[in-house]
Amino acid sequence: MLILIQPDEAGVATYAYEWLRQRIQRKPRLVLGLATGSTPLRLYRAMVEGYQRGELDFSEVITFNLDEYVGLSRHHPRSFYRFMHEHLFSHVNLRPENIHFLDGLPDDVEAHCEAYEAAIRAAGGIDVQILGIGRDGHIGFNEPTSSLCSRTRDKVLTRETIEDNRRFFGPGEEVPRWALTMGVGTILEAREILLLACGPAKARAVAAMAEGPVTALCPASALQLHPRVTVVCDEAAAAALQYQEYYRWIQANDYRLHEVVQKAKQARDTQPDH
Ligand code: F6R
């Protein structure tokens, strides 16, 4: 797990945008897993601006969102589907047929979730999964005690998550208690994962995810088992990390690895007895 600490939220979004831009440019038909919530909003704004500047082309990109509230239709103002349209989809040239979403009003939950998994497989699997993290360590809506091999399914949200989500709902509006979500096992199958975390409320969850034991009590800790996870967090979200100094040390030195090897090779090649 590569942990990059940025000074603030803007720094997190700038890094995340650049990371993603390189991947979309390298593979125009990128299969991109997306999250909702406040954390990726700045990244989505940067993606829209990148598209407007002509830097990014989404015409071949395929998306799969992580989750959707049960009981809300796609057109409900608080559905994740609407959220994604407002913040990203309607501002870039993604093809509607390339946008995949779980349906909050499925006729048959199990069949619908299986079909979602099949659609991910048919697209060739997720290349890049963007994640946020809940205060309780959830990823997608895999709440604590979720199986670390779980697949797409329905999940009852914790009271804490319901309260955290209340800010997106109007006064007196009921916050859904259920969601359909990709499972932890589904997420772990993505080829690469970019997790973003900002603000002091995430500090405990970030530390548990990166440095705690792998446990269903912190579903994000399962990411320790994935070989290609990049975590980009701001100072506040990094505050409880025990190995902070080491992560900063890696950050300061890692990009020079190539340079150091090149220099050493040049030195070796100029040795007379080489
Ligand atoms: C949403 C999702 C959730 C959020 C998490 C953090 O699609 O998958 O796991 O990423 O609840 O939410 P924010 O970013 O609002 O703090």
Side-chain angles (χ1 to χ4, degrees):
M1 190 177 285
L2 176 64
I3 300 183
L4 300 166
I5 304 169
Q6 299 296 320
D8 51 25
E9 247 188 285
V12 169
T14 305
Y15 187 94
Y17 172 73
E18 191 47 34
W19 188 96
L20 190 59
R21 184 190 64 74
Q22 288 173 12
R23 281 153 181 84
I24 295 177
Q25 286 182 346
R26 225 180 285 148
K27 184 177 180 190
R29 205 172 166 73
L30 193 82
V31 182
L32 179 58
L34 293 169
T36 55
S38 20
T39 312
L41 280 178
R42 279 175 189 256
L43 167 63
Y44 295 158
R45 202 176 319 138
M47 286 161 75
V48 171
E49 287 165 6
Y51 166 71
Q52 287 165 346
R53 282 196 303 274
E55 224 169 72
L56 279 183
D57 175 16
F58 293 90
S59 59
E60 299 296 319
V61 172
I62 299 170
T63 69
F64 285 89
N65 261 80
L66 277 169
D67 40 22
E68 181 58 285
Y69 287 125
V70 170
L72 303 192
S73 79
R74 291 200 154 182
H75 305 292
H76 189 286
R78 316 287 176 218
S79 73
F80 286 161
Y81 184 82
R82 269 285 285 274
F83 178 98
M84 289 307 302
H85 272 269
E86 273 164 33
H87 295 287
L88 182 67
F89 296 162
S90 59
H91 307 289
V92 298
N93 63 337
L94 269 165
R95 294 209 190 121
E97 64 271 26
N98 284 347
I99 294 172
H100 298 85
F101 237 95
L102 285 155
D103 184 352
L105 300 177
D107 291 329
D108 177 336
V109 171
E110 214 170 303
H112 180 61
C113 292
E114 269 170 28
Y116 202 65
E117 293 266 344
I120 294 174
R121 282 196 299 276
I126 293 175
D127 291 308
V128 164
Q129 177 66 56
I130 308 290
L131 294 176
I133 184 168
R135 282 193 297 145
D136 60 4
H138 69 233
I139 47 175
F141 272 139
N142 296 286
E143 298 283 32
T145 74
S146 288
S147 155
L148 301 186
C149 352
S150 49
R151 311 303 307 185
T152 304
R153 72 210 181 294
D154 56 302
K155 200 68 204 160
V156 178
L157 304 179
T158 61
R159 288 176 200 268
E160 185 178 73
T161 300
I162 293 169
E163 284 318 308
D164 284 349
N165 293 342
R166 194 172 292 285
R167 68 192 193 280
F168 294 109
F169 289 76
E173 247 184 309
E174 203 176 326
V175 184
R177 293 181 188 188
W178 297 270
L180 299 184
T181 180
M182 283 187 203
V184 180
T186 319
I187 292 170
L188 288 178
E189 278 173 13
R191 292 183 186 92
E192 245 186 313
I193 294 177
L194 180 69
L195 185 142
L196 310 179
C198 296
K202 301 295 172 68
R204 206 169 41 99
V206 167
M209 163 188 73
E211 298 175 342
V214 174
T215 165
L217 291 181
C218 175
S221 66
L223 298 176
Q224 292 176 30
L225 301 171
H226 191 288
R228 299 187 76 190
V229 176
T230 302
V231 175
V232 191
C233 55
D234 64 4
E235 291 283 352
L241 286 165
Q242 205 185 324
Y243 280 78
Q244 246 184 85
E245 282 318 303
Y246 181 49
Y247 307 138
R248 291 181 205 279
W249 176 247
I250 293 174
Q251 213 168 322
N253 287 284
D254 199 38
Y255 73 101
R256 293 185 51 232
L257 186 103
H258 182 70
E259 191 188 311
V260 169
V261 172
Q262 287 313 312
K263 267 196 187 157
K265 276 189 177 166
Q266 275 166 13
R268 180 200 60 191
D269 296 346
T270 52
Q271 295 275 318
D273 60 344
H274 168 65

